[in-house]
Coordinates of all heavy atoms in Angstrom, one line a residue:
M19 N 5.0 -9.9 -12.2 CA 3.9 -9.0 -11.8 C 3.3 -9.6 -10.5 O 3.1 -10.8 -10.4 CB 2.9 -8.8 -12.8 CG 3.3 -7.9 -13.9 SD 2.1 -7.7 -15.2 CE 2.9 -8.5 -16.5
A20 N 2.9 -8.7 -9.7 CA 2.4 -9.2 -8.4 C 0.9 -9.6 -8.4 O 0.5 -10.6 -7.9 CB 2.5 -8.0 -7.3
T21 N 0.1 -8.8 -9.1 CA -1.3 -9.2 -9.2 C -1.7 -10.0 -10.4 O -1.1 -9.7 -11.5 CB -2.2 -7.9 -9.1 OG1 -3.6 -8.3 -9.0 CG2 -2.0 -7.0 -10.2
N22 N -2.6 -10.9 -10.2 CA -3.0 -11.7 -11.4 C -4.4 -11.4 -11.8 O -4.9 -12.0 -12.7 CB -3.0 -13.2 -11.0 CG -1.6 -13.7 -10.6 OD1 -0.6 -13.2 -11.2 ND2 -1.5 -14.6 -9.7
D23 N -5.0 -10.4 -11.1 CA -6.4 -10.0 -11.4 C -6.4 -9.0 -12.6 O -5.9 -7.9 -12.5 CB -7.0 -9.3 -10.2 CG -8.4 -8.9 -10.3 OD1 -9.0 -9.3 -11.4 OD2 -9.0 -8.2 -9.5
L24 N -6.9 -9.5 -13.7 CA -7.0 -8.7 -14.9 C -7.9 -7.5 -14.8 O -7.7 -6.5 -15.5 CB -7.4 -9.5 -16.1 CG -6.5 -10.7 -16.5 CD1 -7.1 -11.5 -17.6 CD2 -5.2 -10.1 -17.0
C25 N -8.9 -7.5 -13.9 CA -9.8 -6.4 -13.7 C -9.2 -5.3 -12.8 O -9.8 -4.3 -12.7 CB -11.1 -6.9 -13.1 SG -11.9 -8.1 -14.2
S26 N -8.1 -5.6 -12.1 CA -7.6 -4.7 -11.2 C -6.9 -3.5 -11.9 O -6.2 -3.7 -12.9 CB -6.5 -5.3 -10.3 OG -5.9 -4.4 -9.5
P27 N -7.1 -2.3 -11.5 CA -6.4 -1.2 -12.1 C -4.9 -1.2 -11.8 O -4.1 -0.5 -12.5 CB -7.0 0.1 -11.5 CG -7.6 -0.4 -10.2 CD -8.0 -1.8 -10.4
L28 N -4.5 -2.1 -10.9 CA -3.0 -2.2 -10.6 C -2.4 -3.3 -11.4 O -1.2 -3.5 -11.3 CB -2.9 -2.5 -9.1 CG -3.5 -1.5 -8.1 CD1 -3.5 -2.0 -6.7 CD2 -2.9 -0.2 -8.3
Y29 N -3.1 -4.0 -12.3 CA -2.6 -5.0 -13.1 C -1.5 -4.4 -14.1 O -1.8 -3.4 -14.7 CB -3.7 -5.7 -13.9 CG -3.1 -6.9 -14.7 CD1 -2.8 -8.1 -14.2 CD2 -2.9 -6.7 -16.1 CE1 -2.3 -9.1 -14.9 CE2 -2.4 -7.7 -16.9 CZ -2.1 -9.0 -16.3 OH -1.6 -10.0 -17.0
G30 N -0.4 -5.1 -14.2 CA 0.7 -4.6 -15.1 C 1.8 -3.9 -14.4 O 2.8 -3.6 -14.9
M31 N 1.5 -3.5 -13.1 CA 2.6 -2.8 -12.4 C 3.5 -3.8 -11.8 O 3.2 -4.9 -11.4 CB 1.9 -2.0 -11.2 CG 1.1 -0.8 -11.7 SD 0.3 0.1 -10.3 CE 1.7 0.9 -9.6
T32 N 4.8 -3.4 -11.8 CA 5.8 -4.3 -11.2 C 5.8 -4.2 -9.7 O 5.1 -3.3 -9.1 CB 7.2 -3.9 -11.7 OG1 7.5 -2.5 -11.2 CG2 7.3 -3.9 -13.2
D33 N 6.5 -5.2 -9.1 CA 6.5 -5.2 -7.6 C 7.1 -3.9 -7.1 O 6.7 -3.3 -6.1 CB 7.3 -6.4 -7.1 CG 6.6 -7.7 -7.2 OD1 5.4 -7.6 -7.4 OD2 7.2 -8.7 -7.2
A34 N 8.1 -3.4 -7.7 CA 8.8 -2.1 -7.3 C 7.8 -0.9 -7.4 O 7.8 -0.1 -6.5 CB 10.0 -1.9 -8.1
Q35 N 7.0 -0.9 -8.4 CA 6.1 0.2 -8.6 C 5.0 0.1 -7.5 O 4.5 1.1 -6.9 CB 5.4 0.2 -10.0 CG 6.4 0.6 -11.1 CD 5.8 0.3 -12.4 OE1 5.0 -0.6 -12.6 NE2 6.1 1.2 -13.4
L36 N 4.5 -1.1 -7.2 CA 3.5 -1.3 -6.2 C 4.1 -1.0 -4.8 O 3.4 -0.3 -4.0 CB 3.0 -2.8 -6.2 CG 2.1 -3.2 -7.4 CD1 1.9 -4.7 -7.4 CD2 0.8 -2.4 -7.4
Q37 N 5.3 -1.3 -4.5 CA 5.9 -1.0 -3.2 C 6.0 0.5 -3.1 O 5.8 1.1 -2.0 CB 7.3 -1.6 -3.1 CG 7.3 -3.1 -2.9 CD 6.8 -3.5 -1.5 OE1 6.7 -2.6 -0.6 NE2 6.7 -4.7 -1.2
A38 N 6.4 1.2 -4.2 CA 6.6 2.7 -4.1 C 5.2 3.3 -3.9 O 5.1 4.3 -3.1 CB 7.2 3.2 -5.4
A39 N 4.2 2.8 -4.6 CA 2.8 3.4 -4.4 C 2.3 3.1 -3.0 O 1.6 4.0 -2.4 CB 1.9 2.8 -5.5
L40 N 2.6 1.9 -2.5 CA 2.2 1.6 -1.1 C 2.8 2.5 -0.1 O 2.2 3.1 0.8 CB 2.5 0.2 -0.8 CG 2.1 -0.3 0.6 CD1 0.6 -0.2 0.9 CD2 2.6 -1.8 0.8
A41 N 4.1 2.8 -0.3 CA 4.8 3.7 0.6 C 4.3 5.1 0.6 O 4.1 5.8 1.6 CB 6.3 3.7 0.3
A42 N 4.0 5.6 -0.7 CA 3.4 6.9 -0.8 C 2.0 7.0 -0.2 O 1.7 8.0 0.4 CB 3.4 7.3 -2.3
A43 N 1.2 6.0 -0.4 CA -0.2 6.0 0.1 C -0.1 5.9 1.7 O -0.9 6.6 2.3 CB -0.9 4.8 -0.4
Q44 N 0.8 5.1 2.2 CA 0.9 5.1 3.7 C 1.4 6.4 4.2 O 0.9 6.9 5.3 CB 1.8 3.9 4.1 CG 1.2 2.6 3.9 CD 2.2 1.4 4.1 OE1 3.4 1.6 4.0 NE2 1.6 0.3 4.5
Q45 N 2.3 7.1 3.5 CA 2.8 8.4 4.0 C 1.6 9.4 3.9 O 1.5 10.3 4.8 CB 4.0 8.8 3.2 CG 4.6 10.1 3.7 CD 5.0 10.0 5.2 OE1 5.7 9.1 5.5 NE2 4.7 11.0 6.0
A46 N 0.8 9.3 2.8 CA -0.3 10.3 2.7 C -1.3 10.0 3.8 O -1.9 11.0 4.4 CB -1.0 10.1 1.3
Y47 N -1.5 8.8 4.2 CA -2.4 8.4 5.3 C -1.9 9.0 6.6 O -2.7 9.6 7.3 CB -2.6 6.9 5.4 CG -3.6 6.5 6.4 CD1 -5.0 6.6 6.2 CD2 -3.1 6.0 7.7 CE1 -5.8 6.2 7.2 CE2 -4.0 5.6 8.6 CZ -5.4 5.7 8.4 OH -6.3 5.4 9.4
I48 N -0.7 8.9 6.8 CA -0.1 9.4 8.0 C -0.2 11.0 8.1 O -0.5 11.6 9.1 CB 1.4 9.0 8.2 CG1 1.5 7.5 8.5 CG2 2.1 9.8 9.3 CD1 2.9 6.9 8.3
D49 N 0.1 11.6 6.9 CA 0.0 13.0 6.8 C -1.4 13.5 7.1 O -1.6 14.6 7.7 CB 0.5 13.5 5.5 CG 2.0 13.4 5.3 OD1 2.7 13.2 6.4 OD2 2.5 13.4 4.2
L50 N -2.4 12.8 6.5 CA -3.8 13.2 6.7 C -4.2 13.0 8.2 O -4.9 13.9 8.8 CB -4.7 12.4 5.8 CG -4.7 12.8 4.4 CD1 -5.5 11.8 3.5 CD2 -5.4 14.1 4.2
R51 N -3.8 11.9 8.8 CA -4.2 11.6 10.2 C -3.5 12.6 11.2 O -4.1 13.0 12.2 CB -3.7 10.2 10.6 CG -4.5 9.1 10.0 CD -5.9 9.0 10.5 NE -5.9 8.7 11.9 CZ -6.8 8.1 12.6 NH1 -7.9 7.7 11.9 NH2 -6.7 7.9 13.9
T52 N -2.3 13.1 10.9 CA -1.6 14.0 11.8 C -1.9 15.5 11.4 O -1.4 16.4 12.1 CB -0.1 13.8 11.8 OG1 0.4 13.9 10.4 CG2 0.2 12.4 12.3
G53 N -2.6 15.7 10.3 CA -2.9 17.1 9.9 C -1.8 17.9 9.3 O -1.7 19.1 9.3
D54 N -0.8 17.1 8.7 CA 0.3 17.8 8.1 C 0.0 18.3 6.7 O 0.8 19.1 6.2 CB 1.5 16.8 8.0 CG 2.1 16.5 9.3 OD1 1.9 17.3 10.3 OD2 2.9 15.5 9.5
K55 N -1.0 17.9 6.1 CA -1.4 18.4 4.7 C -2.3 19.6 4.8 O -3.3 19.6 5.4 CB -2.1 17.3 3.9 CG -1.2 16.1 3.6 CD -0.2 16.5 2.5 CE 0.6 15.3 2.1 NZ 1.7 15.6 1.2
A56 N -1.8 20.6 4.1 CA -2.6 21.8 4.1 C -3.7 21.7 2.9 O -3.4 21.1 1.9 CB -1.8 23.0 3.8
V57 N -4.8 22.3 3.1 CA -5.9 22.2 2.1 C -5.8 23.5 1.3 O -5.8 23.4 0.1 CB -7.3 22.0 2.8 CG1 -8.3 22.0 1.7 CG2 -7.3 20.7 3.5
T58 N -5.8 24.6 1.9 CA -5.7 25.9 1.2 C -4.7 26.8 1.9 O -4.8 27.0 3.1 CB -7.1 26.6 1.1 OG1 -8.0 25.8 0.5 CG2 -7.0 27.9 0.4
V59 N -3.8 27.4 1.2 CA -2.8 28.3 1.7 C -2.9 29.6 0.9 O -2.9 29.5 -0.3 CB -1.4 27.7 1.6 CG1 -0.4 28.7 2.2 CG2 -1.3 26.4 2.4
A60 N -3.1 30.7 1.6 CA -3.1 32.0 0.9 C -2.2 33.0 1.6 O -2.0 32.9 2.8 CB -4.6 32.5 1.0
Y61 N -1.6 33.8 0.8 CA -0.7 34.8 1.4 C -0.6 36.0 0.4 O -1.0 35.9 -0.8 CB 0.7 34.3 1.6 CG 1.4 33.8 0.4 CD1 2.3 34.6 -0.3 CD2 1.3 32.5 -0.1 CE1 3.0 34.2 -1.4 CE2 1.9 32.0 -1.2 CZ 2.8 32.9 -1.9 OH 3.4 32.4 -3.0
A62 N -0.3 37.1 0.9 CA -0.2 38.4 0.1 C 1.2 38.9 0.1 O 2.0 38.8 1.1 CB -1.1 39.4 0.7
Q63 N 1.6 39.3 -1.1 CA 2.9 39.9 -1.3 C 2.7 41.3 -1.9 O 1.6 41.7 -2.1 CB 3.8 39.1 -2.2 CG 4.3 37.8 -1.6 CD 5.2 37.0 -2.5 OE1 5.1 37.1 -3.7 NE2 6.1 36.3 -2.0
G64 N 3.8 42.0 -2.1 CA 3.7 43.3 -2.7 C 3.1 43.3 -4.1 O 2.4 44.3 -4.4
D65 N 3.3 42.3 -4.8 CA 2.8 42.3 -6.2 C 1.4 41.6 -6.3 O 0.9 41.4 -7.4 CB 3.8 41.6 -7.1 CG 4.1 40.1 -6.7 OD1 3.7 39.7 -5.6 OD2 4.6 39.4 -7.6
G66 N 0.8 41.3 -5.2 CA -0.5 40.7 -5.2 C -0.6 39.5 -4.3 O 0.3 39.1 -3.6
S67 N -1.8 38.9 -4.2 CA -2.0 37.8 -3.3 C -2.0 36.5 -4.1 O -2.3 36.5 -5.3 CB -3.4 37.9 -2.6 OG -4.4 37.9 -3.6
R68 N -1.6 35.5 -3.5 CA -1.5 34.2 -4.1 C -2.1 33.1 -3.2 O -2.1 33.3 -2.0 CB 0.0 33.8 -4.3 CG 0.7 34.8 -5.2 CD 2.1 34.4 -5.5 NE 2.9 35.5 -6.1 CZ 3.1 35.6 -7.3 NH1 2.6 34.7 -8.2 NH2 3.8 36.6 -7.8
S69 N -2.6 32.1 -3.8 CA -3.2 31.0 -3.0 C -2.9 29.7 -3.7 O -2.8 29.6 -4.9 CB -4.7 31.2 -2.8 OG -5.4 31.1 -4.0
V70 N -2.8 28.7 -2.9 CA -2.6 27.3 -3.4 C -3.6 26.4 -2.7 O -3.9 26.5 -1.5 CB -1.2 26.8 -3.0 CG1 -1.0 25.4 -3.5 CG2 -0.1 27.7 -3.6
T71 N -4.3 25.6 -3.5 CA -5.3 24.7 -3.0 C -4.9 23.3 -3.3 O -4.6 22.9 -4.5 CB -6.7 25.0 -3.6 OG1 -7.0 26.4 -3.4 CG2 -7.8 24.1 -3.0
F72 N -5.0 22.4 -2.3 CA -4.7 21.0 -2.5 C -6.0 20.2 -2.5 O -7.0 20.7 -1.8 CB -3.8 20.5 -1.4 CG -2.5 21.1 -1.3 CD1 -2.2 22.1 -0.5 CD2 -1.4 20.6 -2.1 CE1 -1.0 22.7 -0.4 CE2 -0.2 21.2 -2.1 CZ 0.0 22.3 -1.2
Q73 N -6.1 19.1 -3.2 CA -7.3 18.3 -3.2 C -7.5 17.6 -1.9 O -6.5 17.1 -1.3 CB -7.2 17.3 -4.3 CG -8.4 16.4 -4.5 CD -8.2 15.4 -5.6 OE1 -7.2 15.4 -6.3 NE2 -9.2 14.5 -5.7
T74 N -8.7 17.7 -1.4 CA -8.9 17.0 -0.1 C -9.2 15.5 -0.4 O -9.8 15.2 -1.4 CB -10.1 17.6 0.6 OG1 -11.3 17.5 -0.3 CG2 -9.9 19.0 1.0
T75 N -8.8 14.7 0.5 CA -8.9 13.2 0.3 C -9.5 12.7 1.7 O -9.0 13.1 2.7 CB -7.6 12.6 0.0 OG1 -7.0 13.2 -1.1 CG2 -7.8 11.1 -0.3
N76 N -10.4 11.8 1.6 CA -10.9 11.2 2.8 C -10.1 10.0 3.3 O -9.5 9.3 2.4 CB -12.4 10.9 2.8 CG -12.7 9.8 1.8 OD1 -11.9 9.2 1.3 ND2 -14.0 9.7 1.6
L77 N -10.0 9.8 4.5 CA -9.2 8.7 5.1 C -9.7 7.3 4.6 O -8.9 6.4 4.4 CB -9.2 8.8 6.6 CG -8.5 9.9 7.2 CD1 -8.7 10.0 8.7 CD2 -7.0 9.8 6.9
A78 N -11.0 7.2 4.5 CA -11.5 5.8 4.0 C -11.0 5.5 2.6 O -10.6 4.3 2.4 CB -13.0 5.8 4.1
A79 N -10.9 6.4 1.7 CA -10.5 6.2 0.4 C -9.0 5.8 0.4 O -8.5 4.9 -0.3 CB -10.7 7.4 -0.5
V80 N -8.2 6.4 1.2 CA -6.8 6.1 1.3 C -6.6 4.7 1.9 O -5.8 4.0 1.5 CB -6.0 7.2 2.1 CG1 -4.6 6.8 2.3 CG2 -6.1 8.6 1.4
R81 N -7.4 4.4 3.0 CA -7.3 3.1 3.6 C -7.6 2.0 2.6 O -7.0 0.9 2.6 CB -8.1 3.0 4.8 CG -7.6 3.8 6.0 CD -8.4 3.8 7.2 NE -8.5 2.4 7.7 CZ -9.4 2.0 8.6 NH1 -10.3 2.8 9.0 NH2 -9.4 0.8 9.0
M82 N -8.7 2.2 1.8 CA -9.1 1.2 0.8 C -8.0 1.1 -0.3 O -7.7 -0.1 -0.8 CB -10.4 1.6 0.2 CG -11.5 1.4 1.1 SD -13.2 1.7 0.5 CE -13.1 2.4 -1.1
F83 N -7.3 2.2 -0.7 CA -6.3 2.1 -1.7 C -5.1 1.3 -1.1 O -4.5 0.5 -1.8 CB -5.9 3.5 -2.1 CG -4.8 3.5 -3.1 CD1 -4.9 2.9 -4.3 CD2 -3.6 4.2 -2.9 CE1 -4.0 2.9 -5.3 CE2 -2.6 4.3 -3.9 CZ -2.8 3.6 -5.1
I84 N -4.8 1.6 0.2 CA -3.7 0.8 0.8 C -4.0 -0.7 0.8 O -3.2 -1.5 0.5 CB -3.4 1.4 2.2 CG1 -2.7 2.8 2.1 CG2 -2.5 0.4 3.0 CD1 -2.6 3.5 3.5
R85 N -5.2 -1.0 1.2 CA -5.7 -2.4 1.2 C -5.6 -3.0 -0.2 O -5.1 -4.2 -0.3 CB -7.1 -2.5 1.7 CG -7.5 -4.0 1.9 CD -8.9 -4.1 2.6 NE -8.9 -3.5 3.9 CZ -9.8 -2.7 4.4 NH1 -10.9 -2.5 3.6 NH2 -9.8 -2.2 5.6
D86 N -5.9 -2.3 -1.2 CA -5.8 -2.8 -2.6 C -4.4 -3.1 -3.0 O -4.1 -4.1 -3.6 CB -6.5 -1.8 -3.6 CG -8.0 -1.8 -3.5 OD1 -8.6 -2.7 -2.9 OD2 -8.6 -0.8 -4.0
L87 N -3.5 -2.1 -2.6 CA -2.1 -2.3 -2.9 C -1.5 -3.5 -2.2 O -0.7 -4.3 -2.8 CB -1.3 -1.0 -2.6 CG -1.5 0.2 -3.5 CD1 -0.9 1.4 -2.9 CD2 -0.9 -0.1 -4.9
Q88 N -1.9 -3.7 -0.9 CA -1.4 -4.8 -0.2 C -1.9 -6.1 -0.8 O -1.2 -7.1 -0.8 CB -1.8 -4.7 1.3 CG -1.0 -3.6 2.0 CD -1.5 -3.3 3.4 OE1 -2.7 -3.6 3.7 NE2 -0.7 -2.8 4.2
A89 N -3.1 -6.1 -1.2 CA -3.7 -7.3 -1.8 C -3.0 -7.6 -3.1 O -2.8 -8.8 -3.5 CB -5.2 -7.2 -2.0
A90 N -2.6 -6.6 -3.9 CA -1.9 -6.8 -5.2 C -0.5 -7.3 -4.9 O 0.0 -8.2 -5.7 CB -1.9 -5.5 -6.0
L91 N 0.1 -6.9 -3.9 CA 1.5 -7.4 -3.6 C 1.5 -8.8 -3.0 O 2.4 -9.5 -3.2 CB 2.2 -6.4 -2.6 CG 2.7 -5.1 -3.2 CD1 3.1 -4.1 -2.2 CD2 3.9 -5.4 -4.1
N92 N 0.4 -9.2 -2.3 CA 0.3 -10.5 -1.7 C -1.0 -11.1 -2.1 O -1.9 -11.2 -1.4 CB 0.3 -10.3 -0.2 CG 1.5 -9.6 0.3 OD1 2.7 -9.9 0.0 ND2 1.3 -8.5 1.1
P93 N -1.0 -11.7 -3.4 CA -2.3 -12.2 -3.9 C -2.8 -13.4 -3.1 O -4.0 -13.6 -3.1 CB -2.0 -12.5 -5.3 CG -0.5 -12.6 -5.4 CD 0.1 -11.8 -4.3
G94 N -2.0 -14.2 -2.4 CA -2.5 -15.3 -1.7 C -3.0 -15.0 -0.3 O -3.6 -15.9 0.3
V95 N -2.7 -13.8 0.2 CA -3.0 -13.5 1.6 C -4.4 -12.8 1.6 O -4.6 -11.8 0.9 CB -1.9 -12.6 2.2 CG1 -2.3 -12.2 3.6 CG2 -0.6 -13.3 2.1
K96 N -5.3 -13.2 2.5 CA -6.6 -12.6 2.6 C -6.4 -11.4 3.6 O -5.9 -11.6 4.7 CB -7.6 -13.6 3.2 CG -9.0 -13.0 3.3 CD -9.9 -14.1 3.7 CE -11.3 -13.6 4.0 NZ -12.0 -12.9 2.9
M97 N -6.9 -10.2 3.2 CA -6.8 -9.1 4.0 C -7.9 -9.1 5.0 O -9.0 -9.4 4.8 CB -6.9 -7.8 3.1 CG -5.7 -7.6 2.2 SD -4.2 -7.4 3.1 CE -3.1 -7.9 1.9
C98 N -7.6 -8.7 6.2 CA -8.5 -8.6 7.3 C -9.5 -7.5 7.2 O -9.0 -6.3 6.9 CB -7.8 -8.5 8.7 SG -6.7 -9.9 9.0
K99 N -10.7 -7.7 7.3 CA -11.7 -6.7 7.3 C -12.4 -6.7 8.6 O -12.5 -7.7 9.3 CB -12.7 -6.9 6.2 CG -12.1 -6.7 4.8 CD -13.1 -6.8 3.7 CE -12.4 -6.7 2.4 NZ -13.4 -6.8 1.3
R100 N -13.0 -5.6 9.0 CA -13.7 -5.5 10.3 C -15.0 -6.3 10.1 O -15.7 -6.2 9.1 CB -14.0 -4.1 10.7 CG -12.7 -3.4 11.0 CD -13.0 -2.0 11.5 NE -13.8 -2.0 12.7 CZ -14.2 -0.9 13.3 NH1 -13.9 0.3 12.9 NH2 -14.9 -1.0 14.4
R101 N -15.3 -7.0 11.2 CA -16.6 -7.7 11.2 C -17.7 -6.7 11.6 O -17.5 -5.8 12.3 CB -16.6 -8.9 12.1 CG -15.6 -9.9 11.7 CD -15.5 -11.1 12.7 NE -16.7 -11.4 13.3 CZ -16.8 -12.1 14.5 NH1 -15.7 -12.5 15.1 NH2 -17.9 -12.4 15.0
R102 N -18.9 -7.0 11.1 CA -20.0 -6.1 11.5 C -20.3 -6.3 12.9 O -20.2 -7.4 13.5 CB -21.2 -6.3 10.6 CG -21.8 -7.7 10.7 CD -22.9 -7.8 9.7 NE -23.5 -9.2 9.7 CZ -24.6 -9.5 10.4 NH1 -25.2 -8.6 11.0 NH2 -25.0 -10.7 10.4
M103 N -20.8 -5.3 13.5 CA -21.1 -5.3 15.0 C -22.6 -5.8 15.1 O -23.5 -5.4 14.4 CB -21.0 -3.9 15.6 CG -19.6 -3.4 15.6 SD -19.4 -1.8 16.2 CE -20.0 -2.0 17.9
V104 N -22.7 -6.8 16.0 CA -24.0 -7.4 16.2 C -24.3 -7.2 17.7 O -23.5 -7.6 18.6 CB -24.1 -8.9 15.9 CG1 -25.4 -9.5 16.2 CG2 -23.7 -9.0 14.4
P105 N -25.5 -6.6 18.0 CA -25.8 -6.4 19.5 C -26.1 -7.8 20.1 O -26.8 -8.6 19.5 CB -27.0 -5.5 19.4 CG -27.6 -5.6 18.1 CD -26.5 -6.0 17.2
L106 N -25.7 -8.0 21.3 CA -26.0 -9.2 22.0 C -27.1 -8.9 23.1 O -26.9 -7.9 23.8 CB -24.7 -9.7 22.7 CG -23.6 -10.1 21.8 CD1 -22.4 -10.5 22.6 CD2 -24.0 -11.3 20.9
F107 N -28.1 -9.7 23.1 CA -29.2 -9.5 24.0 C -29.2 -10.6 25.0 O -28.9 -11.7 24.8 CB -30.5 -9.4 23.3 CG -30.6 -8.2 22.4 CD1 -30.5 -8.3 21.1 CD2 -30.9 -6.9 23.0 CE1 -30.6 -7.2 20.2 CE2 -31.0 -5.8 22.1 CZ -30.8 -6.0 20.8

């Protein structure tokens, strides 16, 4: 198993499962950034109208999930986080 953190929701997943989840999360991030994911689609046919609604996801949540997956796959590597901005006078 890749992660040793018992508190992690990813604990117990194999490396292959984590890699698959990471690939799916990265693809979802790309789709959201490029606008390829539809939120609501509606159309009318002869027998009535139909609509499909997808759940909206924010980019920050997907980025945090990707970071968690990367941390689980590489437990010894510290993930880079942005430093806070400090004004210089």
Side-chain angles (χ1 to χ4, degrees):
M19 281 180 252
T21 183
N22 298 328
D23 185 8
L24 294 173
C25 298
S26 172
L28 304 173
Y29 181 78
M31 293 178 71
T32 64
D33 286 343
Q35 290 172 326
L36 289 171
Q37 286 287 354
L40 179 60
Q44 288 172 333
Q45 185 59 47
Y47 182 78
I48 291 168
D49 291 342
L50 284 170
R51 289 289 297 206
T52 58
D54 288 342
K55 290 287 182 189
V57 177
T58 301
V59 178
Y61 61 94
Q63 287 183 332
D65 61 345
S67 64
R68 302 184 192 261
S69 67
V70 177
T71 303
F72 297 97
Q73 179 180 358
T74 58
T75 306
N76 65 10
L77 290 173
V80 175
R81 288 179 64 195
M82 288 183 354
F83 182 56
I84 290 171
R85 187 176 298 137
D86 290 344
L87 288 168
Q88 289 171 336
L91 283 168
N92 306 307
V95 177
K96 182 173 173 64
M97 294 297 155
C98 298
K99 294 183 180 178
R100 293 182 63 178
R101 293 176 40 199
R102 63 185 177 98
M103 295 177 60
V104 179
L106 298 174
F107 295 101

